[in-house]
Every structure is written in structure tokens, then in C-alpha cells.
Amino acid sequence: MTTYLSTAALDTIASPWLWAATIAGVLALLALDFAVTRRPHEVSMREAIGWTVFYLALPVGFGLLVWAGYGGTPATEFFTGYLLEKSLSVDNLFVFMLLLAAFAVPAALRQRVLLFGIVGALVLRGVFIALGAAALASLDWAFLLFGLILLATAVKLLIDAAGGHEQEVDIASMRSVRLMRKLMPVTDDYRGTRMTVREAGRRALTPLALVVTAVMATDVVFAVDSVPAVYGVTGDPYLVFATNAFALLGLRALYFVLQEALSRLVHLAYGLAVILAFVGVKLTLHWAHGIWDGIPEIPTLASLGVIVVTLGVVTLTSLRATASPAS
């Protein structure tokens, strides 16, 4: 059993050079985003759509290259994992939207805050991906643990959604914000893209530093769910990293495209609960199959179908539920 699970967890299509090239590409794209957001400005819909199309085309091209170079199986795993991570990232965006509103972030600074949140998410995902790979390679029951985490998350999402508990942001109760306020004074107003300023002879934080800290704090919670979820699709740490990177890089632009529609996705939590529960079952069956050969496993194509159908259904039902009544 140990040999089976360990070998599956460590199989990867990536050479050290491919890892280096991919990380360099991600860093280059982040540098490009920082250059674009260097001068604060309100994002037009045309600009947001342009960048969104660009960041949607990148994973499609990457997936096709994987298909051409390594075959259909890893390519299918990448596309399935990417779609899973993208759907979970929409939930990220909703929380980011609440934070931006709670901190009254000026429109010109919103994309800068989102970019810092994306960088924080990428770093945290990288750490969790490495830890996950180590766990899968050395612990026989890691797949079971990941599956139980996802099932517990799915149950919580369903309970919150069924109980009508909407996601809320209480700045005063956030530990990260309280800690920052204790460490340094905070100015009353934003000072462009600056996070600290000197006032009355001492260094002070701006509200921008607080909101960036709050956004990065929420990244930890999302990383705990998303990394085990994508390991339910592929055991290749390189593909896990690639799916996370491509899903996160386009969030800055996607936020401005979807900011009006996000509030209408009222059934998204139900859909994410179904998807996470499905992947949790898939991981649990994979663990059990390593012990009892007669227990079936769920193929990746079936996972892709479940994700696509679930997202399509909850999107349609959400739009129908929030449609304006005909006059």
C-alpha cells in the first residue's frame, strides 16, 4: 500500500528546468501586474475584459502544450484542476469584495489590493502544495485526511447556506487588523499606494496596509481548502502548482468583470459544497483502493463532468432566482 500511494504522489511530468521556467513565468506575470497597477486608476470594463481574456487564454495554451508534450491524461488533469480552482477562486473574490467594501477602499486602489491578495495566495498555496506533496509521499492516510477535510468543509458550506448565513466581514473582530493597530498607529485616510507614512515624527500605517493584511489573512483559509481539493484531481505537484497559479493570476481583472454579477451568484455555496464533497469522496475512495483493490476509483473525466455540470446548474439557478420580475 505504501509503495502504491507514495509512487502516485511523487509522479510528475516536470523536470527542474520546467519548474524553473514556470516559476519565472509566474514572477514575470506578477511583475507585469505590478507595473500595470503602479499608477492608481479606476479600471474600465474594456480594460478588465481584455486582461481577463488574456489570463483565460494562458491556461488554455498551457494545457494544449501539456497535451502535445505529455499526453491527454496530464492535460485532462490540468484542465479539471484549473476549473476546480477557478470555481473556488470566485468564492475568494466574493470575500475580497466584502473586504474592499468594509474598508471603503477607493476605486483607484482596488486592483492594487487584489494584486497583493493574489501574491499572498500564491505564496501560501506554494507552501501548502509542498506540504501536501510531502504528506502524500510519506503518509498512507494522507488521502483520507484530505478527503475528510473537504467533506467537513462541504458540510459547513451547506449548513451556512441552508441557514441563510451570509458571509460578513467584521473589521473590528479580525485578529490581524487588531494586531496591526496595536503595533503601529493608523492614519485616517488612504495615501495612494503607500502602506506607511511618517506623521508627527513617527511611522504610521495607512488603511491600505490594514486591508492588505486582512486579505492575506483570508488567503490562509482558502489555501486549506483548495490545495487538498486539487490533489483530489492530480497527484502531480507541478500540475497542482500550475492550476493554482493560472487560477489566481487572472483574479485581479476578473473581479472587475464580475463585481456586479458576484452578488447574484446566490447558490454558489451550494455548488461549491457539492464539488468539494465529490472530491472528498474521490480522495477517500482513492485511499481505500490502495487497501482493497475491489473498491472503484472515480476517473478524472468524471470529475470534470461533475464540476462543469454543477457550476452550470448553480449559475443558471442563481441568475433565475435573482432575475428582476417582468414589469
Side-chain angles (χ1 to χ4, degrees), residues 203-233:
R203 182 66 60 179
L205 299 172
T206 68
L208 182 64
L210 296 185
V211 66
V212 167
T213 301
V215 166
M216 288 188 174
T218 63
D219 287 336
V220 177
V221 178
F222 287 110
V224 171
D225 295 335
S226 65
V227 172
V230 75
Y231 268 121
V233 173

Side-chain angles (χ1 to χ4, degrees), residues 4 21 27 38 42 57 67 80 91 110-111 119 124 128 137 139 146-147 172 199 210 221 223 225 238 272 307 319 321:
Y4 170 77
L27 293 176
R38 183 172 58 88
E42 293 191 33
W67 197 302
T80 304
D91 203 32
R110 288 176 186 171
Q111 60 176 338
V119 171
L124 287 168
F128 276 84
L139 301 176
F146 285 2
E199 282 194 344
L210 296 185
V221 178
D225 295 335
Y238 173 75
L272 293 180
I307 294 171
L319 295 178

